[in-house]
Amino acid sequence: MSAIFKQHLQKFISISDEEFEQILSYFKLITVSKKENLLLEGQVCKQHYFVLNGCLRKFFINEKGVEITTEFAIETWWITDNKAFEHQTESPFNIQAVEKTTALTIDFHSQEKLLNDFQVMERYFRFIYQRAYAAAQMRLKFLYDFSKEDGYYNFMEAQPQFVQRIPQYLIASYLGFTPEYLSEIRKRKRS
Amino acid sequence: MSAIFKQHLQKFISISDEEFEQILSYFKLITVSKKENLLLEGQVCKQHYFVLNGCLRKFFINEKGVEITTEFAIETWWITDNKAFEHQTESPFNIQAVEKTTALTIDFHSQEKLLNDFQVMERYFRFIYQRAYAAAQMRLKFLYDFSKEDGYYNFMEAQPQFVQRIPQYLIASYLGFTPEYLSEIRKRKRS
DNA sequence: CGGATCGTTGATCAACTTCAACGGTCGTGG
DNA sequence: CCACGACCGTTGAAGTTGATCAACGATCCG
């Protein structure tokens, strides 16, 4: 299972089998079942998750009591509330399993230690954050550029893997509109 | 002027004066006047900018021909189209000076070389991208959480430094609505 | 002084939300 | 293995939010 993580690391940096085993020892392997929570709103965000298989999502609850999903993570994606993780403060987010999920998890202090002990991990995380930041910038562009309807078609094309496995109300939530409106868009397309 | 950059580096890593001079040699110092362009849509995004003073913005032009500003950068902020920079591909964005601006600039290959030559710069950029990603995540949350009106009040509170120096139509563009609507919000507040 | 740029106003219009209700399906307990 | 309840997607009507368009006044700058 953790071979997935090894392959992912080796896409960015070169490490020996021995080094990998040492690096892996900073992590814990966890499995959570569908709807199980890994972080609750108001808690300090202690962990950074690397999904090996399954799917996690990050969401918050707005003043109307509606869940808004801001992020999904599937195989080989990292997920956490980075701001709360970095400062070890309370998070406004929840992290929950969409499906049964296996992940590696590392707490803040272990991650700091890992970065100090392995220079090459600075390089790895520099890549990871750089890519994640670039992706977030493009996501912002899409939000500004597209109407909600076009955003849906764009997402369908760009991430068909999600549309297969994720319930529609979560997709609507992620795209920033209501399930009813998603229904309407789909009806329009059909006719 | 470049002392600003030195101070910024030293907030994250420790370097000697000598090292700093070497690092600085990878950059060029530029000054641009108001409305001058540093990147045009369709060009390969070759440069990464670190603002020493003044203000840059990144924007694109939507299908209706309207400029949408997705990012500002003032003193000690980095700015580029990270996706296009990383892959050295054409960018859909423009980068333009809002005011007369002085910045350090580094091209992609120099940045790669800098990262290879100075281990400590991997750490510095890991911090930079980590913070930038966390900030982008919070920005996304605000976009999902707030109505446009609330988004304006929130921005006013969080970034009063902008509201002073940036024309209103740019603020409206950044917040994702029209100047007319901003006018309406302001009128409502007044009464 | 004269033109371009910026903020404002008000009327009309489109995109999207809210609410209430209904039918299908899926999983769980009896 | 069936029945029931919870959950999910869908519909349609009415309501909001914010966009569009055209016009005007103020200000800045050459």
Side-chain angles (χ1 to χ4, degrees):
Chain A
M1 196 84 216
S2 58
I4 293 168
F5 183 42
K6 189 172 172 185
Q7 280 165 34
H8 192 255
L9 283 169
Q10 289 175 335
K11 273 172 42 184
F12 299 95
I13 55 175
S14 57
I15 45 167
S16 65
D17 290 2
E18 214 170 308
E19 278 173 321
F20 176 69
E21 289 306 322
Q22 287 171 29
I23 288 166
L24 194 58
S25 73
Y26 290 73
F27 292 83
K28 270 189 288 198
L29 183 69
I30 59 165
T31 297
V32 287
S33 47
K34 188 173 170 172
K35 302 250 174 185
E36 201 174 328
N37 291 300
L38 289 171
L39 171 68
L40 287 175
E41 180 183 341
Q43 291 179 343
V44 172
C45 179
K46 299 216 160 97
Q47 302 288 325
H48 198 184
Y49 301 99
F50 178 85
V51 177
L52 295 169
N53 72 52
C55 180
L56 302 177
R57 72 181 177 116
K58 190 169 79 182
F59 67 95
F60 69 95
I61 299 182
N62 69 12
E63 75 285 356
K64 291 174 191 150
V66 178
E67 291 184 3
I68 312 281
T69 300
T70 61
E71 198 175 335
F72 290 111
I74 55 174
E75 294 77 11
T76 74
W77 295 22
W78 288 92
I79 191 169
T80 191
D81 173 359
N82 281 81
K83 190 181 175 206
F85 180 70
E86 200 179 323
H87 300 103
Q88 289 291 286
T89 51
E90 287 185 14
S91 172
F93 289 102
N94 302 269
I95 295 178
Q96 191 184 71
V98 176
E99 316 166 345
K100 183 178 183 220
T101 299
T102 307
L104 290 171
T105 173
I106 187 166
D107 66 59
F108 180 71
H109 295 296
S110 300
Q111 180 169 315
E112 291 284 291
K113 193 163 184 310
L114 177 63
L115 286 164
N116 279 321
D117 297 352
F118 294 84
Q119 276 279 0
V120 75
M121 290 304 283
E122 284 283 8
R123 184 169 173 80
Y124 170 73
F125 276 107
R126 194 261 300 165
F127 274 122
I128 292 301
Y129 288 125
Q130 184 176 333
R131 283 206 328 179
Y133 178 46
Q137 283 186 335
M138 290 316 288
R139 175 126 170 256
L140 277 165
K141 176 174 187 291
F142 291 150
L143 280 175
Y144 280 106
D145 204 4
F146 295 145
S147 69
K148 309 240 160 166
E149 180 168 6
D150 288 348
Y152 171 66
Y153 292 126
N154 180 67
F155 181 71
M156 290 272 288
E157 263 180 65
Q159 311 283 347
Q161 75 245 62
F162 280 104
V163 185
Q164 311 302 330
R165 65 201 260 194
I166 289 176
Q168 305 218 348
Y169 72 95
L170 286 185
I171 292 178
S173 165
Y174 178 74
L175 293 173
F177 50 75
T178 59
E180 291 94 328
Y181 189 60
L182 178 49
S183 242
E184 170 146 355
I185 291 172
R186 289 163 58 83
K187 180 171 57 165
R188 243 179 270 167
K189 180 82 166 209
R190 258 177 274 137
S191 53
Chain B
M1 196 87 222
S2 58
I4 293 168
F5 183 43
K6 188 172 172 183
Q7 279 166 34
H8 192 255
L9 282 169
Q10 288 175 336
K11 273 171 47 182
F12 299 96
I13 55 176
S14 56
I15 44 168
S16 65
D17 290 2
E18 214 170 310
E19 277 173 320
F20 175 69
E21 290 305 324
Q22 286 171 30
I23 289 166
L24 194 58
S25 73
Y26 290 73
F27 292 82
K28 271 189 287 198
L29 183 69
I30 59 165
T31 298
V32 287
S33 46
K34 188 172 171 174
K35 301 249 176 184
E36 200 174 328
N37 292 300
L38 290 171
L39 171 68
L40 288 174
E41 180 183 341
Q43 292 179 343
V44 171
C45 180
K46 297 215 161 95
Q47 302 289 325
H48 199 183
Y49 301 99
F50 179 84
V51 177
L52 295 169
N53 73 51
C55 179
L56 302 178
R57 72 180 177 116
K58 189 169 80 184
F59 67 95
F60 69 95
I61 299 182
N62 70 10
E63 74 287 353
K64 291 173 192 151
V66 178
E67 290 185 3
I68 312 282
T69 299
T70 61
E71 199 175 332
F72 289 111
I74 54 173
E75 293 78 11
T76 75
W77 294 22
W78 289 91
I79 190 169
T80 191
D81 172 359
N82 281 82
K83 191 182 175 207
F85 180 71
E86 200 179 323
H87 299 102
Q88 288 292 284
T89 52
E90 286 184 14
S91 171
F93 290 102
N94 302 268
I95 296 178
Q96 190 184 74
V98 176
E99 315 165 346
K100 183 180 183 222
T101 299
T102 306
L104 290 171
T105 173
I106 186 166
D107 67 58
F108 179 70
H109 295 295
S110 300
Q111 181 170 315
E112 291 284 289
K113 193 162 183 311
L114 177 63
L115 287 164
N116 278 321
D117 296 351
F118 294 85
Q119 277 279 1
V120 75
M121 290 304 281
E122 285 283 9
R123 184 170 173 81
Y124 170 74
F125 276 108
R126 194 261 300 165
F127 273 122
I128 292 301
Y129 288 126
Q130 184 176 332
R131 282 205 330 178
Y133 178 47
Q137 284 185 334
M138 291 315 289
R139 174 123 170 257
L140 277 165
K141 176 173 187 293
F142 292 148
L143 280 176
Y144 280 106
D145 203 3
F146 295 145
S147 69
K148 308 244 160 166
E149 180 167 5
D150 288 347
Y152 171 67
Y153 292 126
N154 180 67
F155 180 72
M156 291 271 287
E157 263 182 66
Q159 311 283 348
Q161 76 248 59
F162 281 104
V163 186
Q164 311 302 329
R165 66 200 261 193
I166 289 176
Q168 303 217 350
Y169 71 95
L170 286 184
I171 292 177
S173 165
Y174 179 75
L175 292 173
F177 50 75
T178 59
E180 291 95 328
Y181 188 60
L182 177 51
S183 240
E184 172 150 353
I185 291 172
R186 288 164 59 83
K187 179 169 57 166
R188 242 179 269 165
K189 180 80 168 212
R190 258 176 273 137
S191 54

